Amino acid sequence: MVKAAMFGATGNGRDQTRALQSALDYLGKVGDGKLILGKGTFLVSLAKSVHKKACIIIPAGVTIEGSGMGVTIIKRISSERKQNGVLLVNKGYDTKGGYKAAGNIVLRNFTITDGDVTSKPRTYGDLIALGHANNVLIERVQSLNHDQHFVDICGSRNITVRDNISNNKQDTYGTATIQIDRAKNLGIWGLLLDGTNPQNITIENNKITSMSEMVLQLGHDQSTVENLNVVSNVITGANTAKGQNAIGKDVDTSILTANIKNNHIKLNNADSIGINLVTDAAHRLDNISLSDNVTTGKMRTATFIDSAVASTGFENILYSLYIDLSSAMRVL
């Protein structure tokens, strides 16, 4: 275990990129370990990074632990607010295929953000990106505004994202709070494009408020997602002007075995959908269990399932009662 302050990263609101990377590189050389971030704001940048497309590179076997959500803050430097770039990414995501990039990583107890809402957001750049990773835990992390994703799980397996709090006010196309996709085409900026699909993904007990068109994107860019658990999340679609999908996927993706259970969804637009699982003629939905999900508010439908092919194994589908209390009160 090392403290970031030992390497000069003191959370003093200045650019901490080189100091943080030095601490992480030290842990990478010794084989594993924990980096403790103290109180304060740790600014990161591409200008001082060792990588052209990511600010901070995380080696295998490393834990980054802050002093608490809202206490330790990792933030993109304001001069790069409109510049493409990932904030945190696992080492080797752009060079190692399969699930052989840096893994056995833990991220916990801090806040991460792109900064204030902007009318001209970046095209590329997640807060946390995982490419070709194996065994990663993200817990008790608070995410604020993100131009792309809070977490992008791309061509990775054995990933758990739990007990996090997200509040994204950036209304930009393609900014799902959590996105799951394969290592191809539209993946992480700079990703090695070998087509590896995601496996064994758990998204559990997160509290998410978002303006994004899709909040949890369970499949993207012709992915085949295997063994997916989306359980006990509280999702608020905060956009009143546009329709949102709280839990959904691209039509050109397959999901093979999923448990979507006990999620509580609140929507605020008549074009919104709680759970939207639609598949085209070339892709499948197999062994899908939907149970105890509750969707309330203004929406088009709570759950929408459709496929052009014969999908199998739907179980325990519970449709919630839809009551728009505001409309009911007007009628009275």
Side-chain angles (χ1 to χ4, degrees):
M1 181 185 75
V2 298
K3 294 183 178 180
M6 297 168 55
F7 292 81
T10 58
N12 60 4
R14 298 178 180 176
D15 195 326
Q16 312 277 281
T17 307
R18 290 178 180 171
L20 289 173
Q21 194 62 61
S22 294
L24 290 168
D25 289 346
Y26 168 78
L27 291 174
K29 288 179 181 179
V30 299
D32 57 31
K34 181 185 294 186
L35 175 63
I36 301 295
L37 303 181
K39 299 178 181 179
T41 299
F42 297 77
L43 299 182
V44 295
S45 70
L46 276 180
K48 295 185 178 180
S49 176
V50 297
H51 197 281
K52 293 181 179 179
K53 296 183 177 179
C55 299
I56 299 294
I57 308 300
I58 308 171
V62 169
T63 294
I64 299 178
E65 184 163 333
S67 299
M69 292 184 286
V71 178
T72 299
I73 301 170
I74 300 174
K75 183 179 180 181
R76 187 181 303 273
I77 196 166
S78 59
S79 61
E80 293 185 3
R81 181 64 186 84
K82 300 176 183 179
Q83 182 175 342
N84 290 337
V86 181
L87 264 68
L88 307 180
V89 69
N90 61 310
K91 186 175 182 179
Y93 84 103
D94 52 348
T95 59
K96 296 182 180 180
Y99 308 106
K100 296 180 180 178
N104 300 318
I105 291 169
V106 177
L107 306 175
R108 63 160 66 103
N109 293 343
F110 57 84
T111 292
I112 189 166
T113 180
D114 270 333
D116 295 334
V117 172
T118 177
S119 60
K120 296 181 179 180
R122 294 180 318 283
T123 303
Y124 302 107
D126 309 302
L127 299 184
I128 300 171
L130 304 173
H132 302 291
N134 181 36
N135 192 26
V136 178
L137 170 62
I138 300 171
E139 64 177 358
R140 299 193 299 276
V141 174
Q142 178 189 41
S143 68
L144 301 178
N145 297 326
H146 46 83
D147 289 350
Q148 279 207 305
H149 313 294
F150 162 40
V151 182
D152 191 344
I153 302 166
C154 195
S156 296
R157 69 181 179 187
N158 302 322
I159 310 298
T160 299
V161 183
R162 70 185 182 199
D163 301 329
N164 303 289
I165 299 175
S166 299
N167 187 9
N168 178 41
K169 298 179 181 179
Q170 185 73 48
D171 180 12
T172 309
Y173 177 78
T175 59
T177 296
I178 300 173
Q179 176 176 278
I180 303 171
D181 57 349
R182 65 172 181 157
K184 196 70 174 178
N185 298 332
L186 302 176
I188 303 163
W189 197 36
L191 184 74
L192 177 65
L193 303 177
D194 69 341
T196 302
N197 278 296
Q199 298 178 353
N200 306 331
I201 311 298
T202 296
I203 302 172
E204 182 177 14
N205 200 37
N206 302 285
K207 296 181 179 179
I208 302 172
T209 300
S210 180
M211 297 287 286
S212 301
E213 178 185 27
M214 188 177 293
V215 182
L216 296 185
Q217 191 166 21
L218 306 184
H220 181 50
D221 189 31
Q222 302 178 12
S223 302
T224 297
V225 184
E226 296 186 51
N227 194 18
L228 174 64
N229 292 284
V230 182
V231 179
S232 299
N233 300 284
V234 177
I235 301 172
T236 300
N239 204 324
T240 59
K242 299 178 182 178
Q244 296 178 272
N245 292 327
I247 299 174
K249 59 181 281 298
D250 291 357
V251 297
D252 63 349
T253 62
S254 297
I255 298 179
L256 311 182
T257 306
N259 181 31
I260 302 175
K261 178 180 180 180
N262 196 36
N263 298 285
H264 288 243
I265 299 168
K266 173 66 185 299
L267 298 171
N268 286 286
N269 184 278
D271 290 326
S272 293
I273 300 175
I275 300 173
N276 188 7
L277 302 179
V278 181
T279 301
D280 65 17
H283 295 84
R284 310 195 325 271
L285 298 170
D286 290 347
N287 300 315
I288 311 296
S289 177
L290 302 176
S291 62
D292 300 315
N293 300 290
V294 177
T295 303
T296 60
K298 294 183 178 180
M299 72 191 83
R300 178 153 56 106
T301 185
T303 303
F304 184 43
I305 302 168
D306 184 32
S307 178
V309 296
S311 295
T312 62
F314 279 91
E315 301 176 355
N316 306 321
I317 300 177
L318 173 66
Y319 293 94
S320 63
L321 177 63
Y322 165 41
I323 303 174
D324 183 350
L325 293 177
S326 61
S327 297
M329 291 299 292
R330 286 197 295 272
V331 172
L332 295 174

